Amino acid sequence: LKMPDAQVIFFTNNGPAIQIPVPKGRTVTGKFYKNVVLRKLKNYYKSRRPKTGLKYVRLLHDNAPAHKARIVTDFLESEKVTVLPHPPYSPDLAPCDYFLFPKLKYHLSGRRYNSRNALGSAVYQCLMGVPIEEYEKCFQKWIDRLKRCVLAGGEYFEGQSKLK
């Protein structure tokens, strides 16, 4: 993944956890993901859960190659992190796709930023401006979407009428 102004963002039902800018022109490889991203996530949890840290965290990843890299899966297994299953090509089941990215797109659309730091700051302000209740609803919506996926026989359902 080469993206000009990429950010890695983790969030929970309590709001944003960490936001990591990806250096310009940097490819997010398994090595970068483990050594930079997951290290910062581990530090985040260590500061909030000193006794357990990352242990027993449930992590929802999409199927990006960096997430599936052996170095990453081995690290997460050694930390006793449960990676929740995520079917391929399922943006309807990815909270970033149906919740976070639309909010960021709305907030950032049509604006120009003089630096990557200014953009990162705008992303941070947007994330912090979302009420915690909306993050909570996001995960309830995720559970509802999982149920809809089962009812649809695993087929993509976004945009279809509500299934019963």
Side-chain angles (χ1 to χ4, degrees), residues 10-149:
F10 285 87
F11 63 99
T12 71
N13 64 327
N14 293 316
I18 60 171
Q19 172 189 351
I20 303 161
V22 177
K24 190 171 186 169
R26 180 72 158 111
T27 300
V28 179
T29 62
K31 185 177 179 180
F32 176 85
Y33 193 73
K34 177 198 172 262
N35 294 336
V36 176
V37 175
L38 292 178
R39 181 178 53 83
K40 289 185 181 184
L41 186 66
K42 183 177 179 175
N43 290 340
Y44 169 83
Y45 276 103
K46 189 69 174 163
S47 70
R48 280 151 187 80
R49 301 166 34 163
K51 290 184 180 178
T52 58
L54 266 179
K55 192 182 284 189
Y56 311 121
V57 167
R58 291 185 196 110
L59 184 62
L60 178 62
H61 272 156
D62 61 17
N63 293 300
H67 300 163
K68 295 292 190 181
R70 188 68 180 181
I71 191 172
V72 170
T73 57
D74 287 349
F75 172 77
L76 292 172
E77 188 175 298
S78 74
E79 293 290 328
K80 299 192 180 349
V81 172
T82 301
V83 177
L84 300 171
H86 185 77
Y89 312 110
S90 299
D92 48 341
L93 297 176
C96 283
D97 288 328
Y98 67 79
F99 171 73
L100 190 64
F101 295 155
K103 289 189 180 314
L104 288 171
K105 184 177 177 181
Y106 177 80
H107 182 77
L108 303 174
S109 182
R111 296 186 170 99
R112 294 225 180 262
Y113 300 93
N114 295 329
S115 68
R116 292 171 58 81
N117 283 344
L119 173 61
S121 179
V123 169
Y124 178 79
Q125 289 171 11
C126 176
L127 296 173
M128 296 308 289
V130 176
I132 288 177
E133 297 79 27
E134 287 192 39
Y135 286 99
E136 292 169 350
K137 287 178 189 173
C138 166
F139 286 95
Q140 183 56 55
K141 190 174 187 179
W142 177 63
I143 293 168
D144 295 341
R145 284 170 172 257
L146 289 172
K147 290 175 184 175
R148 287 181 67 193
C149 180

